[in-house]
Amino acid sequence: MNQARPLEGMRVVDYSHFLAGPYVGRCLAALGAEVIKVERPGSGDAGRQHATVLDARSSGYFLQLNMGKRGVSVNMKDPRGKAFMERLCDSADVFVENYRPGALDKLGLGYEALAARNPGLVYCSISAYGHTGPDAHRAGFGLIAEAKSGIMQMVGTPGERPPLLRISLGDMYTGIHAVAAINAALLGRVKSGRGQHIDMALYDTLVSMHEYAVQCYTLADVLPEQTGHDMPGSTLYGVFRATDGDLVIAAQVDDAWKRFAALVEAQGGPPGFGADARFHDSVGRNTYRREILAVVEPWVAARSVAQILELLDGIDVPCAKVQRIDEVLADPQIQARGMIVEQEHPRYGTLRLPNLPFRFSACDTTIREVAPDLGQHNAEVAQSLGFTPAEIDAMQTDGVLFEQ
């Protein structure tokens, strides 16, 4: 661990709120960038009061997404606040925002205005629909993109309303794509000397995730539908209920299926089940899917999760228990990979939050610094921008730089 983190020396202005934008900022901070979180005076980022709310100042949501950043709170209605933001953006390599298209133009913080002052700026916008197209003006969240993208329609039990995914797939997936695009733009700037505007849309990103649904329709005229607990086009691949919980089994590949079927037969399944040639290729397994499930489901239901995992691990068939969050945190694999980061917070004590999955051989990207209080680093950042102590004191006294 003897190298600097990849983005050390880069300054990022995080002018975003809630999830997608702050997640980008957290990732860039982990990669070594100096990330300055800019919030409105008073209430700050709305994510401060989004689950799990700890007090009037912060929440688990905010602490997780904004760790490792420095925080300022600026009143843009005061000319001194606008001047502060102009200097800050002039000093930045990256600007991240996730407001509705056009909203920041009114504040003088749109791409054209900032790029005119700082041509090397990489400006990343994240919105529901992007900055072009007939829906660009519409508001939206991850839930909206999940519904419109076709993903939600494919999950759940046939005939029932689709369930909520319970993770912010659109925001997080768009966020990590934004991180990739920002790094690519920074690399491109080395050659061109200029930044550019990155226009990320939650809807676009989720449509890009379809690894088979679009091709099913465009190539075979088949509309994917809800399938419940398994995948009819990929037998045997699904969720099964044991005596004491649920597990997933992935025996959809021919060799894995043959090992699995032979095991089921040896462990009390129907004679000849493992040798049935009808099931030895994917077409046959999908054709006779119901016949296969009629054997596999009761076989699983008669055993505990631990028993089945031991049997399947022994023949190298992929499987896993459907774990609760408390089980995930106690999982030795998660502990070995350092996927839960601990931080000491001056008000909330020890925080245990999900780490990022970055792993570098020569540097550590784990963030130990907690998320900032509202306006915590006003004076420090103002000083770095060349404001005098007297100017900083006056801005703080007048609420131009707000601190909670």
Side-chain angles (χ1 to χ4, degrees), residues 8 67 72 77 83 86 88 115 135 199 258 263 282 295 358 363 381 384 391:
E8 286 194 15
M67 62 175 68
V72 299
K77 295 179 181 179
E86 286 177 346
L88 180 60
D135 290 334
D199 177 10
K258 291 173 185 178
L263 172 72
S282 61
V295 172
F358 304 140
C363 62
V381 173
S384 77
E391 289 173 323

Side-chain angles (χ1 to χ4, degrees), residues 22-337:
Y23 179 73
V24 174
R26 179 190 170 181
C27 290
L28 297 177
L31 294 173
E34 176 198 25
V35 180
I36 299 173
K37 170 83 174 180
V38 182
E39 299 180 75
R40 60 189 176 188
S43 58
D45 183 340
R48 288 185 180 273
Q49 292 302 303
H50 194 74
T52 300
V53 177
L54 299 175
D55 56 28
R57 293 186 178 188
S58 200
S59 67
Y61 202 86
F62 184 86
L63 293 169
Q64 178 172 328
L65 294 167
N66 294 284
M67 62 175 68
K69 304 176 186 179
R70 295 199 290 170
V72 299
S73 181
V74 186
N75 179 6
M76 286 285 291
K77 295 179 181 179
D78 189 295
R80 292 170 293 175
K82 185 174 182 180
F84 177 97
M85 282 303 302
E86 286 177 346
R87 286 201 206 179
L88 180 60
C89 294
D90 288 350
S91 74
D93 298 283
V94 178
F95 185 94
V96 179
E97 62 92 6
N98 61 343
Y99 288 86
R100 202 181 303 194
L104 295 193
D105 292 335
K106 302 171 185 176
L107 297 175
L109 296 177
Y111 172 66
E112 297 298 335
L114 295 187
R117 298 174 56 92
N118 180 2
L121 185 67
V122 173
Y123 188 111
C124 181
S125 298
I126 302 174
S127 59
Y129 298 100
H131 282 228
T132 58
D135 290 334
H137 67 286
R138 299 182 65 194
F141 292 95
L143 177 68
I144 309 303
E146 289 161 16
K148 286 185 67 71
S149 69
I151 292 175
M152 185 176 286
Q153 184 270 335
M154 297 190 300
V155 298
T157 303
E160 296 185 3
R161 288 178 294 171
L164 295 178
L165 299 182
R166 296 301 303 274
I167 59 169
S168 299
L169 187 66
D171 290 274
M172 303 296 269
Y173 198 63
T174 305
I176 200 61
H177 270 68
V179 172
I182 287 168
N183 278 284
L186 288 172
L187 183 60
R189 189 181 68 170
V190 174
K191 295 181 179 180
S192 70
R194 299 187 63 87
Q196 57 184 302
H197 185 204
I198 299 167
D199 177 10
M200 302 293 302
L202 274 63
Y203 190 16
D204 292 351
T205 307
L206 290 186
V207 170
S208 80
M209 286 188 70
H210 285 296
E211 89 285 10
Y212 82 98
V214 171
Q215 58 180 273
C216 280
Y217 180 65
T218 59
L219 301 181
D221 201 29
V222 173
L223 281 171
E225 298 292 343
Q226 293 171 301
T227 62
H229 307 301
D230 74 314
M231 291 180 64
S234 192
T235 308
L236 182 93
Y237 188 94
V239 186
F240 298 87
R241 175 146 291 176
T243 58
D244 58 349
D246 298 326
L247 73 154
V248 294
I249 300 173
Q252 81 282 18
V253 178
D254 291 350
D255 289 345
W257 165 259
K258 291 173 185 178
R259 295 195 300 273
F260 176 75
L263 172 72
V264 170
E265 179 181 348
Q267 293 286 327
F273 183 69
D276 195 328
R278 293 178 303 163
F279 309 151
H280 285 182
D281 62 43
S282 61
V283 174
R285 285 193 298 278
N286 293 337
T287 300
Y288 297 104
R289 166 176 159 266
R290 294 192 180 279
E291 187 174 332
I292 289 172
L293 292 176
V295 172
V296 174
E297 287 178 341
W299 184 85
V300 172
R303 292 163 174 80
S304 69
V305 170
Q307 288 174 318
I308 297 168
L309 295 181
E310 182 178 6
L311 288 169
L312 298 190
D313 282 343
I315 60 170
D316 199 27
V317 169
C319 57
K321 181 181 181 181
V322 177
Q323 297 192 129
R324 301 184 309 267
I325 288 298
D326 60 330
E327 295 173 310
V328 174
L329 268 62
D331 191 326
Q333 179 67 19
I334 289 302
Q335 293 176 354
R337 296 286 290 174

Side-chain angles (χ1 to χ4, degrees), residues 11-34:
R11 171 172 277 186
V12 177
V13 175
D14 180 353
Y15 201 90
S16 66
H17 59 298
F18 267 124
L19 179 51
Y23 179 73
V24 174
R26 179 190 170 181
C27 290
L28 297 177
L31 294 173
E34 176 198 25

Side-chain angles (χ1 to χ4, degrees), residues 41 73 75 78 80 375 378-379 382 388-403:
S73 181
N75 179 6
D78 189 295
R80 292 170 293 175
N378 286 339
T388 66
E391 289 173 323
I392 295 170
D393 287 343
M395 287 192 290
Q396 290 178 318
T397 299
D398 296 342
V400 178
L401 298 178
F402 179 87
E403 184 174 357

